[in-house]
């Protein structure tokens, strides 16, 4: 392959040329959502980051098996193996079955990911569908001697493991520091050390989601599912593991320890982590009132938003930052992204209108090389976008007759623009057809309401008839009665 992709490997803290185990096949695992609430901005970033990688690897000719899990059991409220299961808690509050919560929020997540134009992953396994594999995995760790059973639960013995291996090699943490940092938590007497983590938890009597195991009726620890499902679908050692930086410790660190203990080898060759997002300089949180779901962002229905932002504006905004940098969302920044995206999309139409000349004032080959170099440099999408905007300036001046481009170069530039914008960055034209479709539905709904009003008038139910007209008026829809029947118009 002529292009060599350099990836920043979080394990080695440096950029390395990407060499898969079995080219052209690439195995890639990304930690997916715990589905107990609406998808929010925090879900959009890893999804878009690894979609860009997925698209680019395929563009380079690799055959990628992209596995992204759905966490539907075992993710407790805190990392110390305490608190309620997040999904069970939501189910209790909403008086639903846990699997109703899982199904509902998985659908919401997929809808939002489709809107953001992320490609479907190859396999999307769920934790609850892989209990047997997880139990087998725990057995292997017990055989290795790096885990112990206690009161029906099984815990990973971090200290023992660390004698022979390095627990903390991914996150850079030291076990000695963990010892001083972890609080003495009540109810942790089962563990030899506070930082030991659960591989299997015995279910409390009130716990709904439970399965039989050799140790107790219970459920797997949160870190276990990714180790077991990664092994099942990608093998004991695979190419890429991704996720948000917040998952590096303890989740990914523990995944490595589990896999080394059970299989005797490092599970992953390249660890990749996207950085975090903030809103107006603050961490997103429910208590600060700046926690924004993707539906709210797309509809504009949140009091920190001054307008709706389309999924493509959100995607473009995220791609304008390198995935290892933080991203701060604000109305101003999103509005700037909206303008930028429009400029880029308009340039595609302008390109079609250029009349080719005899010579070229634009070096298309150099442009192409620069664009690939940006992507090959650890997926540097902001630099790629900057090169595209350099070309946009040329396109605009060529279209104004101030510059020339020869036929062959023009064709190549068109083709490169399509490849970079649509296939690799995964942007798409905000569908005019979709807007027209929505307008048709809206027209039909208003006509239906007016029919109901006529029916009410005929039945001398003037109260209902007036209510319909008044409600429409409130929405700036003016209703006028004419001899031919009611007519309506939008008041600006
Ligand atoms: Zn995971």
């Amino acid at each position: 392959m002529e292009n060599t992709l350099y990836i920043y490997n979080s394990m080695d803290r440096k950029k390395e040329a990407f060499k898969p185990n079995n080219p052209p096949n690439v195995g890639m695992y990304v930690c997916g959502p715990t589905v107990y609430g609406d998808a929010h901005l925090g879900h959009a970033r890893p999804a878009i980051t690894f979609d860009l990688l997925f698209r680019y690897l395929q563009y380079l000719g690799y055959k990628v098996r992209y596995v992204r899990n759905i966490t539907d059991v075992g993710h407790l409220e805190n990392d110390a193996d305490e608190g309620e299961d997040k999904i069970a808690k939501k189910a209790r509050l909403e008086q639903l079955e846990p699997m109703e919560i899982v199904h509902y929020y998985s659908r919401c997540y997929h809808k939002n990911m489709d809107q953001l134009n992320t490609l479907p992953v190859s396999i999307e396994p769920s934790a609850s569908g892989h209990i047997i594999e997880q139990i087998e995995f725990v057995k292997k760790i017990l055989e290795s001697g790096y885990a112990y059973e206690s009161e029906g639960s099984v815990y990973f013995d971090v200290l023992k493991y660390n004698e022979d291996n390095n627990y903390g090699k991914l996150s850079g943490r030291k076990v000695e520091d963990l010892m001083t940092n972890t609080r003495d938590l009540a109810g942790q007497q089962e563990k030899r050390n506070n930082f030991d983590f659960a591989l299997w938890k015995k279910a409390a009597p009130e716990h709904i989601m439970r399965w039989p195991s050799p140790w107790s009726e219970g459920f797997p620890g949160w870190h276990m599912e990714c180790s077991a499902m990664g092994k099942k679908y990608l093998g004991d050692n695979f190419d890429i593991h991704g996720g948000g930086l917040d998952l590096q410790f303890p989740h990914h660190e523990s995944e490595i320890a589990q896999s080394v203990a059970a299989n005797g080898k490092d599970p992953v060759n390249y660890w990749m982590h996207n950085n975090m997002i903030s809103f107006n300089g603050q961490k997103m949180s429910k208590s600060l009132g700046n926690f924004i779901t993707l539906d709210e962002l797309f509809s504009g229905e949140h009091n920190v938003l001054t307008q709706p932002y389309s999924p493509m504006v959100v995607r473009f905004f995220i791609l304008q930052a390198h995935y290892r940098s933080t991203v701060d969302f604000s109305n101003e920044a999103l509005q700037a992204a909206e303008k930028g995206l429009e400029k880029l999309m308009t340039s595609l139409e302008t390109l079609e209108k250029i009349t080719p000349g005899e010579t070229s004032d634009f070096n298309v080959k150099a442009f192409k090389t620069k664009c690939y170099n940006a992507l090959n440099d650890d997926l540097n999408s902001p630099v790629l976008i900057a090169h595209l905007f350099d070309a946009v300036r040329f396109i605009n001046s060529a279209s104004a007759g101030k510059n020339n481009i020869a036929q062959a170069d023009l064709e190549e530039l068109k083709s490169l623009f399509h490849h970079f914008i649509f296939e690799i960055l995964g942007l798409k034209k905000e569908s005019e057809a979709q807007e027209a479709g929505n307008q048709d539905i809206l027209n039909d709904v208003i006509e239906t309401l007016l029919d109901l009003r006529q029916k009410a008038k005929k039945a001398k139910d003037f109260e209902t008839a007036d209510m319909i007209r008044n409600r429409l008026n409130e929405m700036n829809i003016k209703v006028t009665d004419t001899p031919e029947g009611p007519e309506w118009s939008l008041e600006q």
Side-chain angles (χ1 to χ4, degrees), residues 182-199:
T182 42
R183 290 169 297 137
D184 210 26
L185 294 161
Q188 297 283 301
Q189 308 92 318
E190 285 180 16
K191 294 186 185 181
R192 290 181 189 163
N193 282 295
N194 284 341
F195 47 76
D196 289 349
F197 53 89
L199 303 175

Side-chain angles (χ1 to χ4, degrees), residues 29-32 69 71 222-223 225-226 241-242 247 251-252 255:
Y29 189 99
V30 174
C31 292
N69 65 306
T71 297
W222 173 42
H223 314 309
E225 62 177 285
C226 292
H241 193 314
L247 295 177
H251 186 54
H252 292 160
E255 269 186 49

Side-chain angles (χ1 to χ4, degrees), residues 2 7 17 46 69 95 113-114 126 164 168 194 263 292 311 341 375:
E2 58 180 292
I7 287 177
N69 65 306
Q95 295 185 305
M113 293 309 116
D114 285 347
S126 67
D164 309 321
N194 284 341
N263 309 316
I292 302 170
L341 179 62
L375 286 166

Side-chain angles (χ1 to χ4, degrees), residues 319-343:
L319 291 170
Q320 274 183 313
H322 187 251
Y323 74 90
R324 285 192 289 116
S325 316
T326 54
V327 165
D328 187 37
F329 279 72
S330 66
N331 284 292
E332 295 72 24
L334 283 162
Q335 283 156 12
E338 192 171 36
K339 285 206 184 81
L341 179 62
E342 202 187 314
K343 208 169 143 189

Side-chain angles (χ1 to χ4, degrees), residues 109-125:
Y109 178 76
H110 288 138
K111 181 196 75 180
N112 287 151
M113 293 309 116
D114 285 347
Q115 287 172 307
L116 290 168
N117 205 27
T118 62
L119 297 173
V121 299
S122 321
I123 305 177
E124 195 169 57

